[in-house]
Amino acid sequence: MTTDKQFKRAARKLAEREGISYTAARRLAAAREPAVSVPPADGTATAGTGPEPIPPHIYPTAGAPCPVDCDGAAHPRAVCWLWRPEDSKHVRFDVRRAAQLPNGRAWQFAGRYEAQSSFHGREAHWLLALVYAMLTDQHPELRPGRTELWAAVETDDQAAVDGVMEPLDRAAARLLTKVPEQWWDEVKPRLDAYADVVDADDRELRTWQEIDERHWVGRLVDQWRRAWTESRNDNGYMEAPGVMWVAPKGWLDELLVERHGGHGPGARVRLTDGRPAMVYAAEWDEAGAPVAYRIRELVPGRHGNVGKLVPSISSDELVTRDQVAGELNDVA
């Protein structure tokens, strides 16, 4: 009988060969493994082979999305088609996309807030999707209820969807960072640990929506693994592709500043001590406007920037909301 360690090694090789997630590879390998007898603990032999594997059951699905309070009476002998945002066909695409977790909302953010010329920044949408997946797995209360989300989507108003998603957006904004030390010491190890949990997840999935969602989470984990796997670049050196991890934090800050006020990334402000500065990132609490800002002090430019104030890249200071006097409007 294949040992657990051998089984895991075979599943990893199968995932690499087939281009699928480790979780999917485990299920596929388990389905291919023949049923064998397991010797009893007392060492006595058993005759014959083990029991035949139970064949999968196929259940019909309702032909249309069910109401959110469906009790199954309208479609006897068929399982519910649980409503998803993409099932609201009369709603604008951007509104439906902003309500889809984890991938749709992350991709919609990249298009909404990232400059069209910044290809690498927009490519970081999958990192935000992975963060959404991790937070909703670890804290299910952050995911809006199906009834609440359905009501928001049916308004065809993106602001209504943003409202029901705000607890999740705030949690993601508090987790993500633009501080290198915090990213490498806290955020990346947490995502590494979540990737390990997803790889080892062998729980039974009961609906096709659960299977579909777990498939996409597995693909996000695979992309996370590839981002930190070294390969030879065009110059012949070994390096990992990495990811633009500062980008999603900026998208979340811009969204929450639009909803609650404050100073967004890139805003020029004057501190209460008179220093001019540029807002680099915002710090968030459970509700309301930012409670603090990460700023970079503005200093006189040199060479081609003579006469202008430019942010000092070497400065990164955390100031409270009360230390910011207001917008800086008297300089270029």
Side-chain angles (χ1 to χ4, degrees), residues 35-74:
V36 295
S37 60
V38 180
D42 58 6
T44 58
T46 57
T49 60
E52 290 292 327
I54 300 175
H57 292 279
I58 299 177
Y59 299 97
T61 304
C66 296
V68 291
D69 57 350
C70 180
D71 60 0

Side-chain angles (χ1 to χ4, degrees), residues 141-156:
E141 69 277 6
L142 293 175
R143 182 189 290 269
R146 198 177 300 274
T147 303
E148 184 182 17
L149 186 60
W150 173 83
V153 171
E154 289 296 311
T155 64
D156 198 15

Side-chain angles (χ1 to χ4, degrees), residues 274-292:
R275 289 181 297 155
M278 183 196 74
V279 173
Y280 184 50
E283 301 292 327
W284 301 92
D285 207 338
E286 297 290 339
V291 295

Side-chain angles (χ1 to χ4, degrees), residues 22 49 105 145 167 201 258 265:
Y22 173 76
T49 60
R105 184 163 183 79
D201 182 13
E258 285 179 4

Side-chain angles (χ1 to χ4, degrees), residues 253-296:
D253 285 350
E254 289 191 46
L255 168 74
L256 295 173
V257 165
E258 285 179 4
R259 291 183 57 83
H260 299 283
H263 306 288
R268 294 188 166 210
V269 298
R270 187 175 297 280
L271 305 182
T272 52
D273 60 10
R275 289 181 297 155
M278 183 196 74
V279 173
Y280 184 50
E283 301 292 327
W284 301 92
D285 207 338
E286 297 290 339
V291 295
Y293 298 98
R294 286 208 167 266
I295 58 98
R296 285 181 171 174

